[in-house]
Coordinates of all heavy atoms in Angstrom, one line a residue:
M1 N 116.3 100.7 137.5 CA 117.4 101.2 136.9 C 117.4 100.8 135.3 O 116.8 99.9 134.8 CB 118.7 101.0 137.4 CG 119.1 99.4 137.2 SD 120.7 99.0 137.9 CE 121.9 99.5 136.6
L2 N 118.1 101.8 134.5 CA 118.0 101.5 133.1 C 118.9 100.3 132.7 O 120.0 100.2 133.1 CB 118.4 102.7 132.3 CG 117.6 103.9 132.5 CD1 118.2 105.2 131.8 CD2 116.2 103.6 131.8
G3 N 118.4 99.5 131.9 CA 119.1 98.3 131.4 C 119.8 98.7 130.0 O 119.8 99.9 129.6
G4 N 120.0 97.7 129.3 CA 120.6 97.9 127.9 C 119.5 98.0 126.9 O 119.7 98.3 125.8
G5 N 118.2 97.8 127.3 CA 117.1 97.9 126.3 C 116.9 99.4 125.8 O 117.3 100.3 126.4
Q6 N 116.2 99.4 124.9 CA 115.9 100.8 124.4 C 114.8 101.6 125.1 O 113.9 100.8 125.5 CB 115.3 100.7 122.9 CG 115.1 102.0 122.1 CD 115.0 101.8 120.7 OE1 115.1 100.7 120.2 NE2 114.6 102.9 120.0
A7 N 115.0 102.7 125.4 CA 113.9 103.5 126.2 C 112.8 103.7 125.3 O 112.7 103.5 124.1 CB 114.6 104.9 126.5
T8 N 111.7 103.9 126.1 CA 110.3 104.1 125.3 C 110.3 105.4 124.8 O 111.3 106.3 125.0 CB 109.4 103.8 126.2 OG1 108.1 103.7 125.5 CG2 109.1 104.8 127.4
A9 N 109.3 105.7 124.0 CA 109.1 106.9 123.3 C 107.5 107.2 123.2 O 106.8 106.4 123.4 CB 109.7 106.9 121.9
P10 N 107.4 108.6 123.1 CA 105.9 108.8 123.0 C 105.2 108.4 121.7 O 106.0 108.3 120.7 CB 105.8 110.3 123.1 CG 107.3 110.8 122.8 CD 108.2 109.6 123.1
C11 N 104.1 108.1 121.6 CA 103.4 107.6 120.3 C 103.4 108.7 119.4 O 103.6 110.0 119.7 CB 101.9 107.5 120.8 SG 100.8 107.0 119.4
S12 N 103.5 108.3 118.1 CA 103.7 109.3 117.0 C 102.4 109.9 116.5 O 102.3 110.9 115.7 CB 104.3 108.6 115.6 OG 105.6 108.1 116.1
S13 N 101.2 109.4 117.2 CA 100.0 109.9 116.6 C 99.8 111.3 117.1 O 100.2 111.6 118.3 CB 98.8 109.0 117.2 OG 97.6 109.4 116.7
A14 N 99.3 112.2 116.4 CA 99.2 113.6 116.7 C 98.5 113.8 118.0 O 97.2 113.4 118.2 CB 98.5 114.4 115.6
G15 N 99.1 114.5 118.9 CA 98.4 114.9 120.2 C 98.5 113.7 121.3 O 98.0 114.0 122.3
C16 N 99.0 112.6 121.0 CA 98.9 111.5 121.9 C 100.2 111.4 122.6 O 101.4 111.6 122.0 CB 98.8 110.1 121.2 SG 98.8 108.8 122.2
T17 N 100.2 111.3 123.9 CA 101.4 111.4 124.8 C 101.6 110.1 125.4 O 102.5 109.9 126.3 CB 101.4 112.5 125.8 OG1 100.2 112.3 126.7 CG2 101.3 113.8 125.2
A18 N 101.0 109.0 125.1 CA 101.2 107.7 125.6 C 102.5 107.1 125.2 O 103.0 107.4 124.1 CB 99.9 106.8 125.2
D19 N 102.9 106.3 126.1 CA 104.3 105.6 125.8 C 104.0 104.6 124.6 O 103.0 103.9 124.6 CB 104.8 104.8 127.0 CG 105.5 105.8 127.9 OD1 105.8 106.9 127.6 OD2 105.6 105.3 129.1
A20 N 104.9 104.5 123.7 CA 104.7 103.5 122.6 C 105.0 102.1 123.1 O 105.9 101.8 123.9 CB 105.7 103.9 121.4
A21 N 104.2 101.3 122.6 CA 104.3 99.8 122.9 C 104.7 99.1 121.6 O 105.1 98.0 121.6 CB 103.0 99.2 123.3
H22 N 104.5 99.7 120.4 CA 104.7 99.0 119.2 C 105.5 100.1 118.2 O 105.5 101.2 118.5 CB 103.3 98.7 118.4 CG 102.5 98.0 119.3 ND1 102.5 96.7 119.4 CD2 101.4 98.5 120.1 CE1 101.5 96.2 120.2 NE2 100.8 97.3 120.6
A23 N 106.2 99.5 117.2 CA 106.7 100.4 116.2 C 106.1 100.0 114.8 O 106.0 98.8 114.6 CB 108.3 100.0 116.3
V24 N 105.8 101.1 114.2 CA 105.3 100.9 112.8 C 106.3 101.2 111.7 O 106.7 102.4 111.6 CB 104.0 101.8 112.7 CG1 103.3 101.6 111.4 CG2 103.0 101.4 113.8
H25 N 106.8 100.3 111.1 CA 107.8 100.6 110.0 C 107.1 100.6 108.7 O 106.2 99.8 108.4 CB 108.8 99.4 110.0 CG 109.3 99.0 111.3 ND1 110.3 99.8 112.0 CD2 108.8 98.2 112.4 CE1 110.6 99.2 113.2 NE2 109.7 98.2 113.4
W26 N 107.4 101.6 107.9 CA 106.7 101.8 106.6 C 107.7 102.4 105.6 O 108.7 102.9 105.9 CB 105.7 102.6 106.8 CG 105.8 104.1 107.3 CD1 106.1 104.3 108.7 CD2 105.9 105.2 106.6 NE1 106.2 105.6 108.7 CE2 106.2 106.2 107.4 CE3 105.7 105.5 105.2 CZ2 106.3 107.6 107.1 CZ3 106.0 106.8 104.8 CH2 106.2 107.9 105.7
R27 N 107.1 102.5 104.4 CA 108.0 103.1 103.4 C 107.0 103.7 102.2 O 106.1 103.0 102.0 CB 108.8 102.0 102.6 CG 109.7 102.4 101.6 CD 110.6 101.2 101.2 NE 109.9 100.0 100.8 CZ 109.5 99.7 99.5 NH1 109.8 100.6 98.6 NH2 108.8 98.6 99.2
N28 N 107.4 104.7 101.7 CA 106.6 105.3 100.6 C 107.4 104.9 99.4 O 108.4 105.4 99.0 CB 106.5 106.7 100.7 CG 105.7 107.4 99.5 OD1 105.5 106.7 98.5 ND2 105.4 108.7 99.7
P29 N 106.7 103.8 98.5 CA 107.5 103.3 97.4 C 107.8 104.3 96.2 O 108.6 104.1 95.4 CB 106.5 102.3 96.9 CG 105.5 102.0 97.9 CD 105.4 103.3 98.8
R30 N 106.9 105.4 96.3 CA 107.2 106.4 95.3 C 108.5 107.2 95.6 O 109.0 107.9 94.6 CB 106.0 107.4 95.2 CG 104.7 106.7 94.6 CD 103.8 107.7 94.1 NE 103.2 108.5 95.3 CZ 102.4 108.2 96.0 NH1 101.7 106.8 95.8 NH2 102.0 108.9 97.0
I31 N 108.8 107.4 96.7 CA 110.0 108.2 97.1 C 111.2 107.6 97.8 O 112.3 108.0 97.9 CB 109.7 109.5 97.9 CG1 109.0 109.2 99.3 CG2 108.7 110.3 97.1 CD1 108.8 110.4 100.1
H32 N 110.9 106.4 98.4 CA 112.0 105.6 99.1 C 112.3 104.3 98.4 O 111.3 103.6 97.9 CB 111.3 105.2 100.4 CG 110.9 106.4 101.4 ND1 109.8 106.3 102.2 CD2 111.5 107.7 101.6 CE1 109.7 107.5 102.8 NE2 110.7 108.2 102.4
S33 N 113.6 104.0 98.3 CA 114.1 102.8 97.8 C 113.7 101.6 98.8 O 113.3 101.9 99.9 CB 115.5 102.9 97.5 OG 116.2 103.1 98.7
A34 N 113.8 100.5 98.3 CA 113.4 99.2 99.0 C 114.1 99.0 100.5 O 113.5 98.5 101.3 CB 113.4 97.9 98.2
D35 N 115.2 99.6 100.5 CA 115.9 99.3 101.8 C 115.8 100.5 102.8 O 116.4 100.6 103.7 CB 117.4 99.1 101.5 CG 118.1 100.2 100.8 OD1 117.4 101.2 100.4 OD2 119.3 100.1 100.7
R36 N 114.9 101.5 102.4 CA 114.6 102.7 103.1 C 113.4 102.4 104.2 O 112.4 101.8 103.8 CB 114.4 103.9 102.4 CG 114.0 105.1 103.1 CD 115.3 105.7 103.8 NE 114.9 107.0 104.4 CZ 114.6 108.1 104.0 NH1 114.9 108.3 102.7 NH2 114.4 109.2 104.7
V37 N 113.5 102.5 105.4 CA 112.5 102.1 106.4 C 112.2 103.3 107.3 O 113.1 103.8 108.0 CB 112.8 101.0 107.2 CG1 111.6 100.7 108.3 CG2 113.1 99.7 106.4
K38 N 111.1 103.8 107.4 CA 110.7 104.9 108.2 C 110.0 104.2 109.4 O 109.4 103.1 109.3 CB 109.6 105.8 107.6 CG 110.3 106.5 106.3 CD 111.1 107.6 106.5 CE 110.5 108.8 107.0 NZ 111.4 109.8 107.4
T39 N 110.3 104.7 110.7 CA 109.6 104.1 111.8 C 108.8 105.2 112.6 O 109.3 106.2 113.0 CB 110.7 103.5 112.7 OG1 111.3 102.5 111.9 CG2 110.0 102.8 113.9
W40 N 107.5 104.7 113.0 CA 106.8 105.5 113.8 C 106.5 104.8 115.2 O 106.5 103.5 115.2 CB 105.4 105.8 113.3 CG 105.3 106.8 112.1 CD1 106.2 107.7 111.9 CD2 104.2 107.1 111.4 NE1 105.9 108.5 110.8 CE2 104.6 108.3 110.5 CE3 102.9 106.6 111.4 CZ2 103.6 108.7 109.6 CZ3 102.1 107.1 110.4 CH2 102.5 108.2 109.5
A41 N 106.6 105.5 116.3 CA 106.2 104.8 117.6 C 104.7 104.9 117.7 O 104.1 105.8 117.3 CB 106.8 105.6 118.7
A42 N 104.2 103.8 118.3 CA 102.8 103.7 118.4 C 102.2 103.1 119.6 O 102.9 102.0 120.2 CB 102.2 102.9 117.2
C43 N 101.3 103.7 120.4 CA 100.8 103.1 121.7 C 99.8 102.1 121.2 O 99.3 101.9 120.1 CB 100.2 104.1 122.5 SG 98.6 104.8 121.9
E44 N 99.2 101.4 122.3 CA 98.3 100.3 122.0 C 97.0 100.8 121.3 O 96.6 100.2 120.3 CB 97.9 99.8 123.4 CG 97.3 98.3 123.2 CD 98.2 97.3 122.8 OE1 99.4 97.2 123.6 OE2 97.9 96.5 121.9
A45 N 96.6 102.0 121.5 CA 95.4 102.6 120.9 C 95.7 103.0 119.6 O 94.7 102.9 118.9 CB 94.9 103.7 121.9
H46 N 96.8 103.4 119.2 CA 97.0 104.0 117.8 C 97.7 103.1 116.9 O 98.0 103.4 115.7 CB 97.7 105.2 117.9 CG 96.8 106.4 118.6 ND1 97.1 106.9 119.7 CD2 95.7 106.9 118.0 CE1 96.2 107.9 119.9 NE2 95.3 107.8 119.1
R47 N 98.3 101.9 117.4 CA 98.9 100.9 116.6 C 98.1 100.7 115.2 O 98.5 100.8 114.1 CB 99.2 99.6 117.2 CG 99.8 98.7 116.2 CD 100.1 97.3 116.9 NE 98.6 96.7 117.1 CZ 98.4 95.4 117.4 NH1 99.5 94.6 117.7 NH2 97.1 95.0 117.6
D48 N 96.9 100.4 115.4 CA 96.0 99.9 114.2 C 95.6 101.2 113.4 O 95.6 101.1 112.1 CB 94.7 99.2 114.8 CG 95.0 97.9 115.3 OD1 96.2 97.4 115.0 OD2 94.1 97.4 116.0
T49 N 95.4 102.4 114.0 CA 94.9 103.5 113.2 C 96.3 104.1 112.4 O 96.0 104.4 111.3 CB 94.4 104.7 114.0 OG1 95.3 105.0 115.2 CG2 93.1 104.3 114.6
L50 N 97.4 104.0 113.0 CA 98.6 104.4 112.2 C 98.9 103.5 111.1 O 99.1 103.9 110.0 CB 99.8 104.5 113.1 CG 99.7 105.7 114.2 CD1 101.0 105.6 115.2 CD2 99.9 107.1 113.4
A51 N 98.7 102.2 111.3 CA 99.2 101.3 110.3 C 98.0 101.3 109.2 O 98.3 101.1 108.0 CB 99.2 99.8 110.9
A52 N 96.8 101.5 109.6 CA 95.7 101.5 108.6 C 95.7 102.9 107.7 O 95.6 102.7 106.6 CB 94.2 101.6 109.3
W53 N 96.2 103.9 108.3 CA 96.5 105.2 107.6 C 97.6 105.0 106.5 O 97.3 105.4 105.3 CB 96.9 106.2 108.6 CG 97.0 107.6 108.0 CD1 96.0 108.6 108.0 CD2 98.0 108.2 107.3 NE1 96.4 109.8 107.4 CE2 97.7 109.5 106.8 CE3 99.3 107.8 107.0 CZ2 98.5 110.4 106.2 CZ3 100.3 108.6 106.4 CH2 99.8 109.9 105.9
L54 N 98.6 104.3 106.9 CA 99.7 104.0 106.0 C 99.3 103.0 104.8 O 99.5 103.3 103.6 CB 100.9 103.5 106.7 CG 101.4 104.4 107.6 CD1 102.4 103.6 108.6 CD2 102.4 105.5 106.9
E55 N 98.5 102.1 105.3 CA 98.1 101.0 104.3 C 97.1 101.6 103.4 O 96.9 101.4 102.2 CB 97.6 99.8 105.0 CG 98.7 98.9 105.6 CD 98.3 97.9 106.6 OE1 97.1 97.8 106.9 OE2 99.1 97.2 107.2
S56 N 96.2 102.6 103.7 CA 95.3 103.2 103.0 C 95.9 103.9 101.9 O 95.3 104.2 100.7 CB 94.3 104.1 103.7 OG 94.9 105.3 104.1
R57 N 97.2 104.4 102.1 CA 97.9 105.1 101.0 C 98.8 104.1 100.2 O 99.5 104.7 99.4 CB 98.7 106.2 101.6 CG 97.9 107.5 102.0 CD 98.4 108.3 103.2 NE 97.5 109.2 103.5 CZ 96.3 109.3 104.0 NH1 95.9 108.1 104.5 NH2 95.6 110.3 104.2
G58 N 98.7 102.9 100.3 CA 99.4 101.9 99.6 C 100.8 101.7 100.0 O 101.6 101.3 99.2
F59 N 101.1 102.2 101.2 CA 102.6 102.1 101.8 C 102.7 100.8 102.4 O 101.9 100.4 103.3 CB 102.9 103.2 102.7 CG 102.8 104.7 102.3 CD1 102.8 105.7 103.2 CD2 102.6 104.9 100.9 CE1 102.7 107.0 102.8 CE2 102.6 106.2 100.5 CZ 102.6 107.3 101.5
P60 N 103.8 100.1 102.0 CA 104.1 98.8 102.7 C 104.3 99.1 104.3 O 105.0 100.1 104.7 CB 105.4 98.3 102.1 CG 105.5 99.1 100.9 CD 104.8 100.3 101.0
T61 N 103.6 98.3 105.2 CA 103.8 98.6 106.6 C 104.0 97.2 107.3 O 103.5 96.2 107.1 CB 102.4 99.1 107.1 OG1 102.2 100.3 106.2 CG2 102.4 99.5 108.5
V62 N 105.0 97.3 108.4 CA 105.2 96.3 109.3 C 105.2 96.7 110.7 O 105.8 97.7 111.0 CB 106.5 95.6 108.9 CG1 106.7 94.5 110.0 CG2 106.7 95.0 107.6
V63 N 104.4 96.1 111.5 CA 104.2 96.5 112.9 C 105.1 95.5 113.8 O 104.9 94.2 113.7 CB 102.8 96.5 113.4 CG1 102.6 96.8 114.9 CG2 101.9 97.5 112.5
T64 N 105.8 96.0 114.6 CA 106.6 95.1 115.6 C 106.5 95.6 117.0 O 106.0 96.8 117.2 CB 108.2 95.1 115.2 OG1 108.7 96.3 115.5 CG2 108.4 94.8 113.8
P65 N 106.8 94.7 118.0 CA 107.0 95.4 119.3 C 108.0 96.6 119.3 O 109.0 96.5 118.5 CB 107.5 94.3 120.2 CG 107.2 93.0 119.4 CD 107.2 93.3 117.9
F66 N 107.8 97.6 120.1 CA 108.7 98.7 120.2 C 110.2 98.3 120.5 O 110.3 97.5 121.4 CB 108.2 99.7 121.1 CG 108.9 101.1 121.0 CD1 108.7 102.0 120.1 CD2 109.9 101.3 122.0 CE1 109.5 103.2 120.1 CE2 110.7 102.4 121.9 CZ 110.5 103.4 121.0
G67 N 110.9 98.9 119.7 CA 112.5 98.6 120.0 C 113.0 97.7 119.0 O 114.3 97.6 118.8
E68 N 112.1 96.9 118.3 CA 112.7 96.0 117.3 C 112.9 96.8 116.0 O 112.2 97.8 115.7 CB 111.6 95.0 116.9 CG 111.6 93.8 118.0 CD 110.8 92.6 117.5 OE1 110.6 92.5 116.4 OE2 110.6 91.8 118.5
T69 N 113.9 96.5 115.1 CA 114.0 97.1 114.0 C 113.8 96.0 112.8 O 113.9 94.8 113.0 CB 115.5 97.6 113.8 OG1 116.3 96.5 114.1 CG2 115.8 98.7 114.9
V70 N 113.6 96.5 111.7 CA 113.4 95.6 110.5 C 114.4 96.3 109.4 O 114.5 97.4 109.2 CB 112.0 95.6 110.0 CG1 111.0 94.9 111.0 CG2 111.5 97.0 109.6
E71 N 114.7 95.3 108.6 CA 115.7 95.7 107.6 C 115.1 96.4 106.4 O 115.5 97.2 105.8 CB 116.5 94.4 107.0 CG 117.3 93.8 108.0 CD 118.5 94.5 108.5 OE1 119.1 95.2 107.4 OE2 118.9 94.6 109.6
R72 N 113.8 95.9 106.1 CA 113.0 96.5 105.0 C 111.7 96.1 105.2 O 111.4 95.1 105.8 CB 113.6 96.0 103.7 CG 113.6 94.4 103.5 CD 114.1 94.1 102.1 NE 115.5 94.5 101.8 CZ 115.9 94.9 100.7 NH1 115.0 94.9 99.6 NH2 117.2 95.3 100.5
V73 N 110.8 96.9 104.5 CA 109.5 96.5 104.4 C 109.1 96.1 102.9 O 109.3 96.9 102.0 CB 108.5 97.6 104.9 CG1 108.6 97.7 106.3 CG2 108.9 99.0 104.4
A74 N 108.5 95.0 102.8 CA 108.4 94.5 101.3 C 107.4 95.4 100.6 O 106.4 96.0 101.1 CB 107.9 93.1 101.4
Ligands
ZN1 ZN1 98.8 106.9 120.7

Protein backbone atom coordinates (compact mmCIF):
# COMPACT_ATOMS: atom_id res chain seq x y z
CA MET A 1 0.00 0.00 0.00
CA LEU A 2 1.05 3.57 -0.42
CA GLY A 3 2.84 5.14 2.49
CA GLY A 4 3.73 8.73 3.11
CA GLY A 5 6.68 8.72 0.73
CA GLN A 6 6.72 10.36 -2.63
CA ALA A 7 5.53 8.25 -5.54
CA THR A 8 7.99 7.45 -8.23
CA ALA A 9 8.02 9.14 -11.62
CA PRO A 10 9.17 8.23 -15.09
CA CYS A 11 12.68 9.21 -16.12
CA SER A 12 12.97 12.65 -17.76
CA SER A 13 15.26 11.39 -20.51
CA ALA A 14 13.53 11.53 -23.89
CA GLY A 15 11.85 8.24 -24.74
CA CYS A 16 12.74 6.56 -21.45
CA THR A 17 9.90 5.04 -19.45
CA ALA A 18 11.95 3.61 -16.59
CA ASP A 19 11.07 4.62 -13.04
CA ALA A 20 13.33 7.32 -11.68
CA ALA A 21 15.75 6.37 -8.92
CA HIS A 22 17.43 9.77 -8.78
CA ALA A 23 16.55 13.45 -8.97
CA VAL A 24 18.77 15.80 -10.93
CA HIS A 25 18.46 19.36 -9.62
CA TRP A 26 19.84 22.13 -11.77
CA ARG A 27 19.68 25.80 -12.61
CA ASN A 28 20.48 27.92 -15.63
CA PRO A 29 22.44 30.83 -14.12
CA ARG A 30 21.64 33.07 -17.09
CA ILE A 31 17.86 32.97 -16.54
CA HIS A 32 17.34 31.58 -13.01
CA SER A 33 18.12 33.30 -9.73
CA ALA A 34 20.18 31.40 -7.15
CA ASP A 35 17.16 30.10 -5.25
CA ARG A 36 15.48 28.70 -8.34
CA VAL A 37 15.85 24.93 -8.71
CA LYS A 38 14.64 22.84 -11.63
CA THR A 39 14.35 19.10 -11.06
CA TRP A 40 14.47 16.23 -13.51
CA ALA A 41 13.71 12.63 -12.65
CA ALA A 42 16.38 10.17 -13.73
CA CYS A 43 16.60 6.41 -13.86
CA GLU A 44 19.80 4.55 -13.01
CA ALA A 45 20.88 4.49 -16.65
CA HIS A 46 20.29 8.17 -17.35
CA ARG A 47 21.42 9.83 -14.14
CA ASP A 48 24.93 10.38 -15.45
CA THR A 49 23.93 11.35 -18.99
CA LEU A 50 21.38 13.91 -17.80
CA ALA A 51 23.82 15.40 -15.29
CA ALA A 52 26.62 15.46 -17.86
CA TRP A 53 24.36 17.21 -20.39
CA LEU A 54 23.58 19.95 -17.87
CA GLU A 55 27.17 20.30 -16.71
CA SER A 56 28.39 20.53 -20.29
CA ARG A 57 26.26 23.66 -20.58
CA GLY A 58 27.73 25.13 -17.44
CA PHE A 59 24.60 24.62 -15.34
CA PRO A 60 25.10 23.92 -11.63
CA THR A 61 23.82 20.39 -11.01
CA VAL A 62 23.11 18.35 -7.88
CA VAL A 63 22.04 14.69 -7.97
CA THR A 64 20.10 13.19 -5.05
CA PRO A 65 18.02 10.07 -4.44
CA PHE A 66 14.58 10.51 -5.98
CA GLY A 67 12.17 12.30 -3.67
CA GLU A 68 14.75 14.48 -1.98
CA THR A 69 14.62 18.19 -2.50
CA VAL A 70 17.37 20.77 -2.37
CA GLU A 71 17.06 24.42 -1.43
CA ARG A 72 19.44 25.61 -4.11
CA VAL A 73 22.18 24.52 -6.42
CA ALA A 74 25.37 26.49 -5.96
ZN1 LIG B 1 16.04 6.84 -18.12
